[in-house]
Amino acid sequence: MLKTGNDHLEGLRDGRIVYIGSEKVTDVTTHPAFAHAAQTIADMFDAKREKKNLDLFSYEEDGERYSMWYLRAKTKDDLRRRMRCHKAIADMTYGMMGRSPDHVSGFVTGMATAPEVFDTDTHKFSANLLNYYDHCRKNDTYSTYAVLPPQAARNPDFYTRQNLPVPTLQVVAEKDNGIVISGMKMLATSGVFCDEIWIGNLLPLAPNQVKEAVTCAVPVNAEGLTLWSRQAIARNAANEFDSPLTWRYDETDSMVICDKVFVPWERVFVLGDATLAREIYIRTPGHCYGNHQSNVRFWSKMQLITGLCSRVAEATGAIEVPVVKETLGRMAALEATLSGMIHGQIEAAEEWPKGHMTFNRRMMYAALNWCTESHSAIIDQLRELAGGGVFQMPASVDVMHDPELRKLFETYWQTPQLPALDRMKLFKLVWDMVGSEFAGRQQQYEKFYAGASFIIRNHSYREAPWEMFHGVVDGLLGGYDVPEPPAKSASAD
Ligand SMILES: Cc1cc2nc3c(=O)[nH]c(=O)nc-3n(C[C@H](O)[C@H](O)[C@H](O)COP(=O)(O)OP(=O)(O)OC[C@H]3O[C@@H](n4cnc5c(N)ncnc54)[C@H](O)[C@@H]3O)c2cc1C
């Protein structure tokens, strides 16, 4: 099924409980903090259904049509189709929404190519995983995930020693028909706009953290579940002109609080196995599918930043300076570098798991590392090119509604390069990219969405072919030995 934007918005009016501070939000589709971003998501669902877009955004299997992000790739061409779809979705938000509907669904789909990983001596959950995958693609489900314990609360001993409840989400009861979970998880980006939340553990657990070792899926409106949103940045935007990115693309981040939430057995995928709770992401292509989407999403953002750098240099006149042209050349090279890293993941795809193809994992992790490491410097380049122009603009576009102020503005703010209004429009966008609260949140997102940098590098370490690297060194070392002593000369005798 391919649902409409309206279907999706209707589904969000389901009694879910969302707090912004002490304010309880009753309808996320109309509340000023969320309405525009909700519409952005709805537009994605509508675009997917347009006849001209059907092959880009969806595929057919056994007579039914499903969103492309549920495609289990069997060929390189399937991987290409996934990549093109991610790019088109990311282009709709210029890469500003990381947890668009093609992100977590990629995790679930990747896992569904190796469901046997979910079967252990204790539990046989592979059927649950496959049924869930089927449920998601049939209902065109939009899921987010909360797969980290709350920051600084990762040591349960501290709480148990003081007889305090451990805040980390864990199983508090097992029943005939399911389990009961309580506690917190961070950080459900886009959770307020989603149908479901995948709860799990992307960080390794200690072997004795058995109760925390639960992976399951819950609807956002589950009884006992509340979302605690961070500050709603979109509410600070007076209008789209002054804050174009904030206005449409604040995907939101929320803490997930579960207070005795019941989860039926069919939605439980890992239980009581601290090792498996983490390994499901890396022993299946789940992590790879999901983070390939992140690479592609960053690529869209990179194209916007590169274009903005050039437009700003045109607007200030700096483009005439050779060193500025060199800077722009460097930005274009960085964009092409990322494009190459993304395409390479398909050209060097892995035949894994059996009967399937997966993006090249090492290249995917390399791109993930590159994006995380480079984002601050890339944004800083745009900041440098913008200079003080961002603050030269009036506080609000409402000056255009006052004939006297408008005349002054249009006279004094025009430059040889651009009329005043065009300049204001460009520099307002630049500020939303480099300096607004939205921009600050983007910076934090790019640093942490896939884990802190040491976690990301650890993935590259794990996947690296150290034997091959060692073989190269050993081959070189093996090519020479202790030299023969120099021949003694006749005169020395
Ligand atoms: C905007 C945003 C959106 C997010 N969205 C989601 C989401 O949708 N779903 C989800 O599950 N999670 C999400 N996250 C959470 C994200 O996965 C975590 O923020 C991330 O894993 C880092 O964990 P932490 O924030 O607890 O930082 P910490 O683990 O506390 O690390 C903070 C810093 O401490 C240092 N540090 C800590 N431990 C070590 C160590 N062992 N070695 C070296 N340095 C160390 C590092 O400098 C690190 O950068 C999001 C985070 C942000 C900021």
Side-chain angles (χ1 to χ4, degrees):
M1 176 184 117
L2 301 181
K3 66 182 169 191
T4 65
N6 253 344
D7 291 339
H8 184 66
L9 294 178
E10 196 48 51
L12 302 181
R13 297 183 195 110
D14 58 359
R16 62 190 50 208
I17 298 177
V18 176
Y19 290 108
I20 308 175
S22 62
E23 180 186 355
K24 191 172 170 182
V25 177
T26 48
D27 183 351
V28 295
T29 68
T30 53
H31 190 280
F34 304 129
H36 296 130
Q39 189 56 50
T40 301
I41 305 277
D43 292 345
M44 291 178 190
F45 282 99
D46 281 337
K48 181 153 56 82
R49 284 167 54 91
E50 278 184 40
K51 213 165 174 193
K52 66 175 170 49
N53 290 336
L54 278 182
D55 281 346
L56 175 62
F57 288 122
S58 60
Y59 69 101
E60 219 175 80
E61 200 174 289
D62 301 328
E64 266 210 68
R65 197 157 266 283
Y66 304 110
S67 293
M68 185 64 82
W69 39 88
Y70 289 114
L71 179 69
R72 286 176 288 189
K74 295 207 166 73
T75 63
K76 281 188 185 178
D77 208 45
D78 288 343
L79 294 174
R80 263 181 219 112
R81 293 178 74 193
R82 288 190 65 90
M83 187 270 277
R84 279 196 292 261
C85 170
H86 292 317
K87 183 66 170 54
I89 289 285
D91 284 348
M92 285 186 211
T93 68
Y94 305 90
M96 301 297 145
M97 284 189 163
R99 305 307 195 216
S100 46
D102 52 334
H103 182 74
V104 172
S105 52
F107 274 74
V108 175
T109 305
M111 288 174 185
T113 64
E116 65 282 358
V117 168
F118 291 78
D119 287 338
T120 64
D121 292 342
T122 327
H123 296 292
K124 305 281 179 230
F125 286 141
S126 63
N128 287 0
L129 191 274
L130 282 177
N131 287 337
Y132 184 62
Y133 163 72
D134 233 28
H135 160 85
C136 289
R137 66 176 184 161
K138 283 198 168 120
N139 294 286
D140 213 4
T141 301
Y142 178 15
S143 304
T144 185
Y145 54 19
V147 287
L148 259 88
Q151 187 177 46
R154 290 165 194 166
N155 177 6
D157 295 346
F158 168 83
Y159 299 91
T160 39
R161 266 202 311 270
Q162 301 188 61
N163 216 12
L164 294 168
V166 180
T168 302
L169 187 142
Q170 53 195 282
V171 177
V172 293
E174 270 188 48
K175 300 182 163 192
D176 287 346
N177 51 350
I179 58 172
V180 180
I181 53 175
S182 282
M184 292 201 279
K185 278 271 167 180
M186 71 187 280
L187 184 65
T189 294
S190 230
V192 301
F193 305 125
C194 285
D195 304 305
E196 306 240 345
I197 305 180
W198 175 278
I199 302 236
N201 293 279
L202 205 42
L203 284 184
L205 294 168
N208 63 348
Q209 288 182 291
V210 176
K211 288 190 171 155
E212 288 94 329
V214 55
T215 308
C216 58
V218 287
V220 177
N221 70 345
E223 201 181 329
L225 190 152
T226 49
L227 291 179
W228 291 46
S229 169
R230 61 153 159 78
Q231 196 186 43
I233 301 171
R235 199 144 53 169
N236 303 341
N239 60 65
E240 187 166 12
F241 192 101
D242 285 323
S243 313
L245 303 176
T246 309
W247 186 257
R248 288 198 216 169
Y249 306 129
D250 180 12
E251 63 182 336
T252 76
D253 308 285
S254 303
M255 285 301 289
V256 180
I257 317 293
C258 289
D259 183 20
K260 299 192 199 77
V261 172
F262 173 72
V263 187
W265 280 118
E266 56 270 28
R267 290 287 181 264
V268 179
F269 313 117
V270 177
L271 187 68
D273 188 330
T275 309
L276 188 66
R278 161 111 198 297
E279 286 194 344
I280 53 171
Y281 302 98
I282 46 187
R283 281 174 54 202
T284 70
H287 204 236
C288 186
Y289 270 35
N291 283 300
H292 172 79
Q293 179 272 343
S294 304
N295 298 164
V296 177
R297 194 261 319 154
F298 194 98
W299 183 24
S300 292
K301 184 187 256 191
M302 192 66 215
Q303 292 181 335
L304 175 67
I305 298 171
T306 307
L308 276 176
C309 284
S310 177
R311 280 283 188 233
V312 163
E314 281 174 0
T316 58
I319 195 139
E320 303 303 332
V321 184
V323 74
V324 172
K325 280 208 174 87
E326 189 192 316
T327 297
L328 294 178
R330 187 170 165 275
M331 292 301 288
L334 294 180
E335 186 274 335
T337 301
L338 180 55
S339 166
M341 283 196 274
I342 288 166
H343 286 88
Q345 291 168 39
I346 298 171
E347 294 316 310
E350 298 178 45
E351 285 183 33
W352 174 77
K354 202 168 181 293
H356 293 86
M357 285 294 244
T358 300
F359 304 101
N360 183 293
R361 278 171 287 177
R362 288 199 56 224
M363 293 182 188
M364 185 282 293
Y365 284 124
L368 196 59
N369 187 63
W370 186 90
C371 294
T372 311
E373 234 171 43
S374 312
H375 178 261
S376 294
I378 287 168
I379 277 293
D380 218 44
Q381 195 63 75
L382 178 58
R383 185 191 291 278
E384 289 224 358
L385 286 168
V390 286
F391 298 135
Q392 199 180 323
M393 297 305 147
S396 168
V397 69
D398 63 10
V399 290
M400 298 303 285
H401 300 314
D402 180 313
E404 238 172 82
L405 291 178
R406 177 180 181 149
K407 196 160 167 244
L408 279 174
F409 173 66
E410 287 181 342
T411 306
Y412 285 105
W413 267 261
Q414 67 181 317
T415 62
Q417 291 81 15
L418 281 179
L421 185 61
D422 290 359
R423 284 185 72 213
M424 174 153 66
K425 195 169 194 185
L426 177 66
F427 280 94
K428 293 276 183 188
L429 172 58
V430 169
W431 184 244
D432 221 6
M433 196 74 212
V434 302
S436 68
E437 192 171 358
F438 178 88
R441 185 269 173 191
Q442 288 280 318
Q443 183 117 339
Q444 204 70 2
Y445 183 82
E446 298 299 355
K447 273 191 192 298
F448 285 109
Y449 71 85
S453 53
F454 70 94
I455 302 269
I456 292 172
R457 291 192 191 115
N458 191 44
H459 291 302
S460 283
Y461 179 84
R462 187 190 65 240
E463 298 299 334
W466 291 112
E467 248 177 61
M468 183 275 280
F469 291 145
H470 293 162
V472 174
V473 176
D474 295 346
L476 175 58
L477 291 174
Y480 54 86
D481 212 332
V482 181
E484 293 295 323
K488 289 184 182 155
S489 67
S491 60
D493 285 340

